[in-house]
Amino acid sequence: MSRAPRTPLGLVRAQPEPPYTFTFDGRTLTALPGQTLAAALWAAGITSWRTTRGGGAPRGAFCGIGVCHDCLATVDGRPNQRACLVAVRPGDTVTTQVGTGHGPDGKGTPS
Amino acid sequence: MTPPADLAVVGAGPAGLAAAVTAAGLGLTVTLLDAGERPGGQFHRHPAPGLGAARPAALHHGWRQFTDRLARLQAHRDAGRVTHLPGHHVWTVGRADGHWRLHAVAGPDETPATVHARAVLLATGAYERQLPFPGWTLPGVVGAGGAQAMLKSGLVLPGRQVVVAGSGPLLLAVAGSLAAAGARVPAVAEAAAYTAYARAVPTLLRNPAKLAEGARHGAALLHRTTRLLTRHAVTAAHGTTRVEAVTVTRLDPDWRPVPGTARRVPCDALAVGHGLVPRLDLATGLGCATRRTPDDTHALVVDAGQATSVPGIWAAGEPCGVGGADLAVTEGEIAAETAAHALNGTPRDPRRAAALARRRDRLRAFADVMATAHRPGPGWAGWLDDTTEVCRCEEVTARRIRTAVTDYGAHDTRTVKLLTRAGMGWCQGRMCGPAVARLAGGPPAADRRPLSCPVPLRHLAGLPADHDPTAPPPPTEEPEA
Ligand SMILES: Cc1cc2nc3c(=O)[nH]c(=O)nc-3n(C[C@H](O)[C@H](O)[C@H](O)COP(=O)(O)OP(=O)(O)OC[C@H]3O[C@@H](n4cnc5c(N)ncnc54)[C@H](O)[C@@H]3O)c2cc1C
Ligand code: FES
């Protein structure tokens, strides 16, 4: 008999409440209730959602606890949201934060 | 204004939670603040209720003690002895006629909140020490504790094939948790050698519980699938939009890469960290004295009762020196008892006091042995190349920092910062600080920041004109002997 593959949800025998959707750069993704934005993006296999002001290099979560500020994203037009701290809400529109995030389309241009 | 609480506890990790319930049990009114939404701190970080974890204990040791403490917290809240303020980040502490005033920002809208208290207990924990290497800014390279934190709270993994690297007891805990959650961990690269503990066997034997703990049974999984490489480091991460492989290199005892020993290990994530740095921003803002620790960080000087050098300010847990959750709990209980004695004259049970002190001293001695073994060797800077970004926020390369040192005579983090902007970004130098100090040739700086977290300017403007954390202490009432 083959055993089910190990997963984080399986490890703690999670029975989450129904998932909901949000969009990331136009893509529809699902999040589980209570997950942070960074967790929902990781669950979708996404590890970068910001580009730096200087070199335009991709970044995502690093410290995981709100200290490094590498994980900044633009949520519903508001830039500089720490994805490792903010919870995803149903229907959120999340975009990659470009540079300072204060560009014309709420997405930002490198400053 | 509501009357000040007897004790404000900042941080609801193992130390703060233990302190809050102990203090309330001794009759103090307590306000417990924590930046996070759920109590538990780093060790007992756990999923939100919506994730429906039926067996959260699988990711933790000591889960029963934690839930017992939560139940006591709830009972004290119901009885009006504890006010619990989750989601409150305290950004500065000041004095206000005869008591302390804590300024916090709450929730995503950064609503200001002020708490008044007769005494303050700082239980603010630690963050991870990072040492840069080429490629460490690639997505998929994450803090080892960060990966653990994301797993414990969000039930997610950074990748399927995760190399774990750096130094310190936390690495094995993290590797065990990742494996238990289904990641393949091809290698754990530990820069130090565990054999260094062998010299302290008596200390080890008296400490059956390890300094860091991860998922139950994770260690057994590692046994089968993971190569544990001591005296090895990840000296480069490769990839374009995310990490695709890492270079693992053997180190000499000073952590210098040994030429000709590099090998490439494919992976889609790297979890890396070099021990922990006590979080001292509020304490140093108040003028609390600090000491150098055996692994080259700074911790608070506390007396036998966990009081800092500033009267009215106590501390417990990692700010007093990194030592793990058990030590944090013990220190929290001691701090609560001595604060209750100082504030209300509540007598301490001498037998319990002696037992707690013995336990703390034993765990502290053990932590110091580990800290000495995992102290970064000076040779780590040998794995930087000129283009490695040392400061992630301001994108400052090793070359620019070295130029500031060699051409402009910068010999400390402050001067390097002024010349290059390294350490001036959002993280306030928490990620690059230890590395910049090493490159500048100076000692590491204590965790000293004007504010504990970025705060909207309007809140700064709203500070009372007399806000001065380092003004003379408020009068504390003498306990009746
Ligand atoms: C990212 C990370 C992951 C870790 N994972 C593990 C692990 O899996 N196993 C293990 O054995 N050890 C782990 N540790 C080590 C951990 O430090 C200890 O095991 C233990 O949690 C220490 O307890 P503490 O109460 O001293 O601090 P913490 O548990 O860190 O608690 C401190 C609390 O203070 C809060 N805080 C800090 N500053 C403020 C402020 N200004 N205002 C309001 N609140 C504030 C924080 O939100 C946090 O909840 C980890 C450490 C880190 C940094
Ligand atoms: S990952 Fe560091 S602040 Fe979010």
Side-chain angles (χ1 to χ4, degrees):
Chain A
M1 199 182 82
S2 73
R3 289 231 254 123
R6 285 193 306 272
T7 64
L9 289 149
L11 178 63
V12 297
R13 305 228 178 96
Q15 302 208 317
E17 288 163 21
Y20 44 73
T21 60
F22 68 104
T23 66
F24 170 67
D25 288 347
R27 246 173 96 183
T28 300
L29 302 176
T30 54
L32 296 173
Q35 273 182 334
T36 61
L37 175 54
L41 290 169
W42 275 19
I46 296 167
T47 49
S48 64
W49 49 85
R50 176 171 87 88
T51 57
T52 58
R53 287 168 296 155
R59 296 282 178 87
F62 182 63
C63 75
I65 60 167
V67 174
C68 74
H69 289 76
D70 248 337
C71 65
L72 301 179
T74 299
V75 181
D76 289 337
R78 282 181 63 191
N80 297 328
Q81 303 300 304
R82 276 174 282 177
C84 70
L85 298 184
V86 298
V88 201
R89 290 158 309 180
D92 272 350
T93 304
V94 181
T95 49
T96 290
Q97 175 166 332
V98 180
T100 61
H102 287 292
D105 54 358
K107 221 179 142 176
T109 49
S111 65
Chain B
M1 189 185 93
T2 47
D6 291 324
L7 185 66
V9 177
V10 186
L17 201 53
V21 296
T22 306
L26 293 169
L28 298 189
T29 54
V30 178
T31 301
L32 173 63
L33 305 98
D34 193 284
E37 287 303 328
R38 292 181 298 286
Q42 302 306 347
F43 190 81
H44 286 125
R45 193 177 270 272
H46 54 282
L51 283 161
R55 206 173 55 131
L59 277 164
H60 297 271
H61 288 248
W63 184 253
R64 260 285 302 283
Q65 289 96 311
F66 173 61
T67 51
D68 285 353
R69 235 167 255 131
L70 283 188
R72 282 162 69 194
L73 181 74
Q74 186 58 47
H76 287 307
R77 283 169 63 176
D78 293 345
R81 283 184 293 268
V82 171
T83 306
H84 181 205
L85 301 175
H88 280 61
H89 194 123
V90 179
W91 52 277
T92 189
V93 179
R95 300 163 201 271
D97 32 83
H99 58 264
W100 300 96
R101 192 162 47 196
L102 294 84
H103 298 272
V105 283
D109 298 325
E110 302 182 306
T111 315
T114 310
V115 164
H116 299 260
R118 292 168 64 201
V120 178
L121 194 155
L122 300 171
T124 48
Y127 54 88
E128 253 179 322
R129 169 162 50 198
Q130 293 297 343
L131 300 176
F133 52 86
W136 78 307
T137 53
L138 275 174
V141 177
V142 299
Q148 179 87 326
M150 294 272 293
L151 173 58
K152 283 180 172 180
S153 64
L155 303 179
V156 288
L157 295 167
R160 291 171 210 273
Q161 178 115 330
V162 191
V163 171
V164 176
S167 194
L170 187 58
L171 295 188
L172 289 176
V174 172
S177 303
L178 295 174
R184 226 181 77 76
V185 181
V188 174
E190 160 62 60
Y194 297 111
T195 48
Y197 305 175
R199 267 184 256 127
V201 171
T203 322
L204 267 172
L205 289 181
R206 272 181 274 121
N207 284 273
K210 282 172 256 73
L211 186 63
E213 297 283 13
R216 289 137 142 311
H217 316 309
L221 288 165
L222 289 181
H223 218 66
R224 292 205 298 269
T225 56
T226 304
R227 295 194 57 167
L228 173 59
L229 302 160
T230 55
R231 289 227 180 284
H232 278 75
V234 165
T235 51
H238 313 281
T240 43
T241 55
R242 74 173 289 171
V243 60
E244 289 159 12
V246 294
T247 296
V248 177
T249 310
R250 198 146 65 80
L251 303 179
D252 74 9
D254 284 336
W255 291 30
R256 222 166 265 112
V258 176
T261 62
R263 73 180 102 159
R264 217 176 148 100
V265 180
C267 61
D268 61 358
L270 167 67
V272 62
H274 292 86
L276 302 175
V277 181
R279 183 149 197 174
L280 304 184
D281 36 35
L282 296 175
T284 50
L286 285 158
C288 297
T290 62
R291 63 182 174 91
R292 275 280 275 284
T293 64
D295 64 343
D296 248 352
T297 65
H298 289 261
L300 294 177
V301 174
V302 286
D303 69 10
Q306 299 296 130
T308 71
S309 65
V310 174
I313 306 287
W314 276 259
E318 311 288 45
C320 308
V322 167
D326 285 351
L327 178 58
V329 166
T330 308
E331 292 185 348
E333 292 180 349
I334 295 173
E337 291 187 4
T338 62
H341 178 68
L343 293 165
N344 289 354
T346 312
R348 290 188 77 192
D349 171 358
R351 283 196 27 213
R352 179 175 149 84
L356 282 174
R358 265 198 313 276
R359 186 171 164 76
R360 176 195 49 202
D361 296 348
R362 176 170 59 79
L363 290 166
R364 169 67 58 211
F366 178 59
D368 283 351
V369 168
M370 287 226 177
T372 308
H374 292 286
R375 173 198 175 139
W380 71 262
W383 63 57
L384 294 175
D385 66 24
D386 269 356
T387 59
T388 309
E389 272 173 15
V390 172
C391 168
R392 302 172 68 93
C393 301
E394 297 294 315
E395 301 164 75
V396 183
T397 59
R399 181 195 292 121
R400 277 173 60 202
I401 293 170
R402 284 179 169 140
T403 307
V405 174
T406 53
D407 295 8
Y408 298 95
H411 292 304
D412 56 70
T413 39
R414 228 187 111 246
T415 317
V416 170
K417 175 166 149 180
L418 292 174
L419 288 168
T420 67
R421 297 192 59 81
M424 271 204 190
W426 279 95
C427 85
Q428 303 185 73
R430 290 192 180 96
M431 293 301 115
C432 66
V436 172
R438 167 81 189 101
L439 294 177
D447 187 35
R448 202 180 294 281
R449 337 266 156 204
L451 310 173
S452 174
C453 63
V455 166
L457 275 179
R458 61 179 193 280
H459 296 352
L460 278 181
L463 269 189
D466 63 350
H467 179 80
D468 176 6
T470 54
T476 42
E477 286 149 50
E478 283 297 312
E480 291 124 75

